[in-house]
Amino acid sequence: MEIKKVCVVGIGVMGNGITQVSAQAGYDTSVVDLSDEILQRGLGNITKSLSKFVEKGKLTEEEMEEVVGRIKPTTDLKEGAKDADFVIEAVFERSDAKKEVFKELDEICPPDTILASNTSTIPISLLGSATKRPEKVMGTHFMNPVPLMRGVEMIRSLATSENTLNTSLEFIQSLGKETAVVKDSPGFVTNRLMPLILNEAAKMYEEGLSTVEDADKIVRLSFNWPMGPFQLFDLIGIDTICDVLEAVYTETGWERYKPAPIIRRMVEVGWTGRKAKKGFYEYTGWW
Ligand SMILES: NC(=O)c1ccc[n+]([C@@H]2O[C@H](COP(=O)([O-])OP(=O)(O)OC[C@H]3O[C@@H](n4cnc5c(N)ncnc54)[C@H](O)[C@@H]3O)[C@@H](O)[C@H]2O)c1
């Protein structure tokens, strides 16, 4: 099956990156979100990100305009998804919200359309169960920031067909990404590992073990990571990490995934990281 048209649902931290790489790879890409204001903010972030490619000489002004021209924003899911060959859902990490989107997509999209989710933890089989096409439902877990990170975790549920997997692998690779196939298990591979480190960092913060700057500095210098745990918290979104931890904890009962209280408190006051301009650090201007 040839993929020509892509639809991304949600233009938040991940949705805007996925929309960008899809349009950069030459696909007509519609993007759906709840309001024009959110869409405009997301498109603004895409333009800023593309401008950085232009500044670095990796893209011309003309190419940038072509990429932007391939993106069709809309608040109407039907309008955005009705003729899409491949849909990637990137809404909040809540199973009820995602299931509702999958149910609607199943009714809107042509029978051959593959419905993928960028979920960090929610079982793909659960999302598939909201549709009448579980064999065409996949997990395509992009990493943040999407335009720069090369790996995509490909999650196959018990019901996902070989054909869906192969078409999805080919499509994601056509975006210039590398793929790794993973079973439909809580947190998959990446989110079995990464949230544990961040949860432990939050507990160290509660203990006052060091400043966030020093903790990040020693991790960067010691492990050669590009950023420390608190920088990563703010980049990913503290609310998203909280949802990921809660989801793995709920599914497995493993105590080590229970979010440190400070994570919940920060979410309650809206200090969710870069997107809120305040998390473990404060931000001014564009990041
Ligand atoms: N943030 C990360 O680093 C990261 C990394 C990998 C995967 N993920 C996963 O990607 C998904 C999106 O995360 P995010 O960080 O981009 O979240 P986000 O909060 O930045 O964005 C979510 C977007 O979805 C929109 N939305 C909500 N319900 C919608 C609906 N019914 N229709 C259309 N749009 C809707 C919201 O308005 C918002 O713009 C989640 O499943 C998350 O677990 C996030």
Side-chain angles (χ1 to χ4, degrees):
M1 175 191 171
E2 196 192 349
I3 309 293
K4 287 189 186 142
K5 184 149 188 278
V6 177
C7 172
V8 179
V9 187
I11 195 169
V13 172
M14 297 304 286
N16 76 60
I18 298 168
T19 303
Q20 178 181 328
V21 295
S22 169
Q24 269 186 285
Y27 295 101
D28 285 331
T29 308
S30 58
V31 58
V32 187
D33 209 305
L34 301 175
S35 73
D36 287 326
E37 194 194 337
I38 297 173
L39 284 167
Q40 286 315 317
R41 197 178 337 127
L43 291 172
N45 285 335
I46 293 175
T47 311
K48 283 169 193 157
S49 167
L50 288 169
S51 303
K52 291 202 178 269
F53 283 89
V54 174
E55 273 168 36
K56 289 181 186 151
K58 293 186 175 166
L59 206 67
T60 64
E61 286 277 356
E62 213 174 43
E63 285 166 338
M64 174 172 157
E65 273 168 35
E66 280 170 20
V67 172
V68 173
R70 280 195 282 272
I71 301 173
K72 302 279 175 292
T74 175
T75 52
D76 182 354
L77 186 64
K78 193 166 184 184
E79 181 58 34
K82 66 176 191 290
D83 51 0
D85 303 304
F86 203 100
V87 180
I88 305 176
E89 164 280 313
V91 309
F92 308 126
E93 186 70 356
R94 306 278 153 75
S95 53
D96 49 352
K98 287 191 189 285
K99 276 176 79 177
E100 189 53 41
V101 170
F102 271 77
K103 185 169 173 288
E104 283 183 52
L105 286 171
D106 190 39
E107 286 159 10
I108 294 167
C109 295
D112 281 344
T113 306
I114 292 178
L115 306 180
S117 175
N118 193 54
T119 180
S120 306
T121 51
I122 294 167
I124 303 304
S125 54
L126 183 69
L127 302 179
S129 73
T131 75
K132 293 190 187 72
R133 61 178 92 187
E135 74 288 354
K136 293 203 163 60
V137 176
M138 270 293 296
T140 52
H141 184 209
F142 288 80
M143 305 296 145
N144 182 9
V146 179
L148 302 181
M149 301 299 279
R150 286 169 60 213
V152 179
E153 201 172 24
M154 305 291 288
I155 303 110
R156 179 183 190 176
S157 89
L158 289 175
T160 310
S161 72
E162 193 75 22
N163 199 16
T164 299
L165 174 67
N166 290 334
T167 308
S168 305
L169 286 169
E170 217 171 282
F171 166 64
I172 296 294
Q173 287 160 10
S174 79
L175 305 180
K177 302 297 181 194
E178 302 238 7
T179 50
V181 180
V182 171
K183 279 188 188 164
D184 194 14
S185 160
F188 319 126
V189 168
T190 51
N191 284 321
R192 272 283 281 281
L193 294 172
M194 182 271 299
L196 279 182
I197 293 168
L198 298 194
N199 208 23
E200 200 56 35
K203 290 176 192 171
M204 294 190 306
Y205 176 84
E206 286 172 335
E207 290 166 20
L209 198 65
S210 80
T211 62
V212 292
E213 288 85 357
D214 272 352
D216 281 341
K217 182 178 174 188
I218 196 64
V219 167
R220 285 195 308 271
L221 294 175
S222 308
F223 304 153
N224 209 14
W225 289 5
M227 54 177 72
F230 297 104
Q231 292 172 298
L232 193 55
F233 249 122
D234 282 2
L235 175 78
I236 294 171
I238 295 166
D239 50 342
T240 301
I241 300 294
C242 191
D243 289 342
V244 165
L245 284 162
E246 295 272 18
V248 180
Y249 178 57
T250 305
E251 184 89 2
T252 63
W254 294 332
E255 202 63 24
R256 58 188 185 274
Y257 289 93
K258 192 173 177 180
I262 185 65
I263 300 178
R264 289 204 174 108
R265 300 296 86 80
M266 289 178 78
V267 173
E268 283 156 9
V269 296
W271 296 352
T272 54
R274 288 185 184 197
K275 61 187 168 187
K277 305 229 181 283
K278 187 171 170 61
F280 285 101
Y281 293 90
E282 294 202 14
Y283 302 86
T284 49
W286 191 70
W287 34 280

